[in-house]
């Protein structure tokens, strides 16, 4: 039952958090310490950054409804920004929780993440204009082949 599941989640979450911390796999929550913790892992500094949305119950308050409504997913949600180690797929950084209406780039502008020297950062178009100092950013561009192809005509 749902109440039993909630009870077990509350009991097991501290144990899981402690185990991940002892293994050194707990994501960094402090943007200023991210570079130091990644250097300790010794992996190459190639990261992927993206925003994630987590559904939530629709708030009853009209102001909270407006703040948590994401037009992208057409639902009410909370949002995080995650930075993942590209090779190992390990989550290195997890931002604080924000309302679903907040844009990905605004989150990283609010929480300026400090990256290790020589970092390559892959990002989607939600981070357009985000270029931290000392980081090589890689962002996809629109395909010219698709944009320049003539529209198909039917006989």
């Amino acid at each position: 039952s749902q109440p039993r599941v909630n009870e077990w989640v509350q009991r097991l979450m501290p144990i899981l958090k402690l185990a991940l911390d002892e293994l050194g796999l707990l994501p960094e929550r402090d943007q200023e310490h991210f570079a130091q913790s990644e250097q300790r892992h010794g992996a190459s500094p190639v990261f992927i950054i993206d925003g994630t949305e987590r559904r939530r119950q629709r708030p009853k308050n009209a102001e909270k409804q407006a703040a948590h409504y994401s037009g992208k997913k057409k639902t009410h949600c909370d949002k995080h920004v995650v930075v993942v180690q590209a090779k190992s797929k390990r989550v290195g950084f997890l931002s604080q929780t924000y309302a679903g209406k907040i844009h990905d780039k605004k989150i990283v502008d609010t929480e300026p993440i400090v990256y290790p020297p020589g970092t390559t950062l892959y990002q989607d178009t939600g981070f357009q204009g985000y270029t931290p100092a000392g980081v090589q950013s890689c962002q996809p561009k629109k395909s010219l082949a698709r944009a320049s192809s003539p529209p198909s005509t039917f006989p």
Side-chain angles (χ1 to χ4, degrees):
S1 68
Q2 185 66 41
R4 179 75 61 185
V5 169
N6 289 339
E7 180 183 331
W8 278 106
V9 166
Q10 294 301 317
R11 281 186 183 183
L12 296 175
M13 193 61 81
I15 298 167
L16 176 63
K17 192 173 184 178
L18 184 64
L20 288 173
D21 192 27
E22 286 180 8
L23 292 171
L25 299 175
L26 196 63
E28 185 64 55
R29 298 298 298 255
D30 184 3
Q31 68 273 13
E32 294 175 6
H33 294 117
F34 174 63
Q36 296 165 352
S37 66
E38 285 303 313
Q39 286 174 338
R40 273 187 264 129
H41 287 284
S44 63
V46 179
F47 300 105
I48 302 167
I49 186 170
D50 201 8
T52 61
E53 294 181 343
R54 187 171 33 95
R55 289 186 68 157
R56 63 168 291 163
Q57 187 173 4
R58 179 178 176 222
K60 298 207 183 294
N61 182 335
E63 286 180 19
K64 284 186 179 181
Q65 278 184 23
H68 288 275
Y69 184 77
S70 170
K72 180 180 177 185
K73 299 282 186 180
K74 306 290 189 242
T75 186
H76 295 85
C77 60
D78 290 326
K79 192 175 252 186
H80 295 276
V81 166
V82 294
V83 178
V84 178
Q85 175 65 252
K87 190 172 184 179
S88 67
K89 311 290 190 274
R90 185 183 59 79
V91 176
F93 175 76
L94 177 65
S95 74
Q96 300 303 315
T97 304
Y98 289 87
K101 191 172 190 165
I102 306 285
H103 196 273
D104 295 347
K105 184 176 180 305
K106 187 165 185 152
I107 293 174
V108 293
D109 288 342
T110 304
E111 292 188 29
I113 304 167
V114 179
Y115 296 94
T119 295
T120 302
L121 185 65
Y122 290 92
Q123 56 193 22
D124 63 11
T125 54
F127 294 93
Q128 193 156 4
Y130 176 63
T131 52
V135 173
Q136 178 187 1
S137 297
C138 299
Q139 191 170 28
K141 305 280 189 249
K142 280 192 174 180
S143 172
L144 293 176
R146 213 183 286 189
S148 65
S149 63
S152 61
T153 56
F154 295 103

